[in-house]
Amino acid sequence: ANGDGLAFLWPWRETREAPLMHRPTVPALLPGPRRSALVLFAGAGADMMSLRENGYDEVTGVELNPTIVEAGLALDAYRLKDFLALDGVRLAVDDGRAFLERDRKRYDLVLLSWSGATAAYHLGALAGTTEHMFTHEGLSAAFDRLKPDGFALVLQISKVNAIDTLRRYMAARGLPAPERSAIILFRPEGVHAWDGPWEDNPLLFKPSGWSEDEVAAILARATARGYEVAYAPGRPPHPDFTVYERLLTAADPAAEIGRIESETGLRFGAATDDRPFYLDQFLPSRYLSAEFWGAWRTGFRSPAEIYHFMRVAAALAVSAAAFALALAPLLLVRRST
């Protein structure tokens, strides 16, 4: 719905042969049912239905795009209106950050679900409606809505950046043992490479830390659901994802981010409100690299580098044109005299 945006819409049923298991919600159900949940990027309510049918009594959703909600409500056969009329179910059409600033409730689960909004690319600039939700400040606001024993599920964004955010969050609040706060899963058939700007490895973040019994139960259920373990407390990391353990256990997370950037040539670290471009992995130091300027012959590392090259080329072209236009009248005057 609404241009490039999209959302899943499931029909509401009072009874089914089996509870609805909308895929983004599945990792949120691995710790077992809780009572209350907040769903950000709620779309047309698919995650909310799944949580409700799997034991959550109170489910609140927040969706920015009113067209998606209106379109779902207009399809009577899907009975979205009946679902939203249930006690304990609420869908707010609102900006996620604005909602979090006003909301004073605490939740057992905060789910940052799949977002159907695309990013805009133009001459190296990347922007999207979700970007301020995925900054350090945005994620911190979401984590602050958790109950003392609550947890958050973060999907889609780089988990290296998400770990850097949770390290900053825990340090600012004096919370110990970040290495016990995170469980990260992946599906071999999914988008799971850790060094990209976008991947779908579920991060289950519990600020108070996962107990050994909780870890064992979650991993058993995850395996049954087709997930593999990238990182879990007290377990050896998957060999393809040792970077997660490095960053979670580092004495100096900022220095570890620097080492990861040196190894990959990519930009990592928590996005912030003054630089919310969480999809932009371009290191500014590469502007001074001969490799970058020669890439038009040898090939760019990624489409994002092409956009950055175009941005600089466009800026140089405009500057040259402006210089020529400013100089031309002076030359004409000089010739005429």
Side-chain angles (χ1 to χ4, degrees), residues 37 190 236 263 312:
E263 293 165 5
V312 175

Side-chain angles (χ1 to χ4, degrees), residues 36-57:
S36 61
L38 172 64
V39 180
L40 300 169
F41 316 128
D47 297 291
M48 298 171 64
M49 285 186 192
S50 188
L51 291 169
R52 177 76 177 204
E53 293 186 24
N54 284 276
Y56 280 79
D57 297 322

Side-chain angles (χ1 to χ4, degrees), residues 244-261:
Y244 294 156
E245 182 184 55
R246 286 169 52 187
L247 192 51
L248 280 162
T249 59
D252 185 346
E256 191 62 39
I257 286 288
R259 284 188 282 271
I260 294 169
E261 289 181 334

